[in-house]
């Protein structure tokens, strides 16, 4: 709903528009299913609705001004967990040990690819970008959530680091039998390492396509040619 101000109404009238409410369909209905151990990659340009799709899968979010309808909603047990920065100034190992105990902390960090003592004694803010991603993955590993939601994946990583983190993410999803929904606009440098089970391709004005990774890769190749 638009603010009910004279300025807004005057601007709308100048463009021949009237009313106080704007409604827009962000995503057309589409079918999507995933099993434990699957990665669903959401591709599309900025502003196409990728973030909204991820948010719609988190039952704990209360989305204002958005109407979402599901024909059938069966989300994994344990709810959803987001890949988020760790907001703590404590050394990494202390942060994890305080929350889950030393044994689980060490196990999760090692599982995510962080096994150097020098890294353990650093706070999150002093880690490299690749190390931060691995620390955030360790944080997700220790959650009980069955669904992992990752938006703008790899946006702040160099191509090599993005490939390494994508490979680690895929390994963790399969090993822990999670379902990961991963979204990014720029993905060609890491999509091969991630090797998603399915790709939801979102484009303005067109119903979302649900493709296998092979079909999505072939489509990208045909566009390049």
């Amino acid at each position: 709903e638009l603010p009910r101000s004279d300025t807004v109404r005057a601007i709308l009238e100048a463009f021949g528009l009237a009313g106080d409410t704007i409604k827009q369909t962000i995503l057309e209905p589409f079918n999507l299913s995933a099993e434990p151990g699957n990665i669903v990659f959401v591709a599309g340009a900025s502003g196409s609705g990728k973030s909204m799709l991820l948010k719609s899968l988190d039952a704990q979010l209360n989305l204002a001004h958005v109407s979402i309808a599901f024909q059938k909603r069966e989300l994994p047990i344990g709810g959803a967990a987001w890949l988020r920065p760790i907001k703590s100034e404590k050394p990494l190992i202390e942060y994890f040990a305080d929350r889950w105990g030393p044994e689980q902390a060490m196990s999760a960090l090692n599982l995510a690819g962080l096994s150097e003592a020098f890294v353990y004694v650093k706070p999150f803010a002093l880690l490299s970008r690749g190390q931060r991603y691995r620390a955030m993955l360790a944080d997700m590993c220790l959650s009980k959530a069955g669904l992992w939601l990752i938006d703008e994946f790899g946006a702040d990583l160099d191509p090599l680091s993005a490939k390494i983190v994508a490979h680690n993410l895929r390994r963790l999803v399969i090993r822990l039998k999670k379902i990961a929904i991963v979204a990014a606009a720029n993905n060609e440098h890491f999509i091969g390492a991630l090797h998603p089970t399915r790709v939801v391709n979102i484009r303005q004005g067109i119903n979302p396509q649900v493709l296998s990774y092979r079909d999505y890769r072939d489509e990208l190749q045909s566009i390049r040619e």
Side-chain angles (χ1 to χ4, degrees), residues 32-42 54 57-58 73-83 137 140-141 143-150 169-183 194 196-198 200:
L32 176 64
S33 62
E35 302 292 334
N38 285 180
I39 296 174
V40 177
F41 186 78
V42 184
L54 265 63
L57 297 173
D58 187 348
R73 181 170 182 160
E74 294 181 357
L75 298 181
I77 295 173
W82 290 81
L83 190 76
L137 287 175
M140 292 183 75
C141 288
S143 74
K144 295 181 180 180
L147 178 65
W148 289 359
L149 301 173
I150 305 175
L169 172 59
R170 184 173 189 273
R171 177 175 54 84
L172 291 173
V173 169
I174 293 173
R175 178 168 179 170
L176 300 177
K177 293 180 170 52
K178 304 292 184 178
I179 295 175
I181 313 293
V182 183
L194 188 64
T197 313
R198 295 176 188 82
V200 179

Side-chain angles (χ1 to χ4, degrees), residues 124-175:
F124 180 80
L126 294 184
L127 300 177
S128 70
R129 294 189 187 278
Q131 290 169 344
R132 290 179 190 177
Y133 267 83
R134 290 194 281 273
M136 291 187 289
L137 287 175
D139 211 21
M140 292 183 75
C141 288
L142 289 167
S143 74
K144 295 181 180 180
L147 178 65
W148 289 359
L149 301 173
I150 305 175
D151 200 6
E152 295 299 334
F153 178 79
D156 55 348
L157 292 175
D158 62 88
L160 178 58
S161 295
K163 287 180 182 178
I164 293 172
V165 174
H167 174 78
N168 286 342
L169 172 59
R170 184 173 189 273
R171 177 175 54 84
L172 291 173
V173 169
I174 293 173
R175 178 168 179 170

Side-chain angles (χ1 to χ4, degrees), residues 27-220:
L27 293 171
E28 297 290 344
F30 68 99
N31 295 321
L32 176 64
S33 62
E35 302 292 334
N38 285 180
I39 296 174
V40 177
F41 186 78
V42 184
S46 297
S48 59
K50 301 186 302 300
S51 297
M52 188 58 63
L53 174 58
L54 265 63
K55 289 177 181 178
S56 72
L57 297 173
D58 187 348
Q60 298 181 34
L61 293 181
N62 184 17
L63 301 177
H65 311 306
V66 177
S67 176
I68 302 169
F70 290 88
Q71 184 176 7
K72 185 177 182 182
R73 181 170 182 160
E74 294 181 357
L75 298 181
I77 295 173
W82 290 81
L83 190 76
R84 301 289 195 201
I86 294 173
K87 297 180 179 180
S88 173
E89 296 180 358
K90 294 180 180 180
L92 198 63
I93 189 62
E94 184 179 346
Y95 164 80
F96 277 91
D98 285 351
R99 298 185 68 190
W100 293 285
E103 186 175 342
Q104 288 194 61
M106 292 284 289
S107 176
L109 289 168
N110 289 338
L111 192 62
L114 293 173
S115 57
E116 304 89 350
F118 188 61
V119 173
Y120 288 171
V121 299
K122 289 183 176 182
F124 180 80
L126 294 184
L127 300 177
S128 70
R129 294 189 187 278
Q131 290 169 344
R132 290 179 190 177
Y133 267 83
R134 290 194 281 273
M136 291 187 289
L137 287 175
D139 211 21
M140 292 183 75
C141 288
L142 289 167
S143 74
K144 295 181 180 180
L147 178 65
W148 289 359
L149 301 173
I150 305 175
D151 200 6
E152 295 299 334
F153 178 79
D156 55 348
L157 292 175
D158 62 88
L160 178 58
S161 295
K163 287 180 182 178
I164 293 172
V165 174
H167 174 78
N168 286 342
L169 172 59
R170 184 173 189 273
R171 177 175 54 84
L172 291 173
V173 169
I174 293 173
R175 178 168 179 170
L176 300 177
K177 293 180 170 52
K178 304 292 184 178
I179 295 175
I181 313 293
V182 183
N186 300 314
N187 60 73
E188 292 188 33
H189 53 297
F190 67 76
I191 190 75
L194 188 64
H195 201 102
T197 313
R198 295 176 188 82
V199 177
V200 179
N201 197 14
I202 300 175
R203 290 177 288 190
Q204 291 285 356
I206 302 175
N207 286 2
Q209 291 179 295
V210 180
L211 307 169
S212 67
Y213 168 63
R214 177 177 294 181
D215 288 343
Y216 177 70
R217 183 189 60 192
D218 291 346
E219 185 174 289
L220 285 180

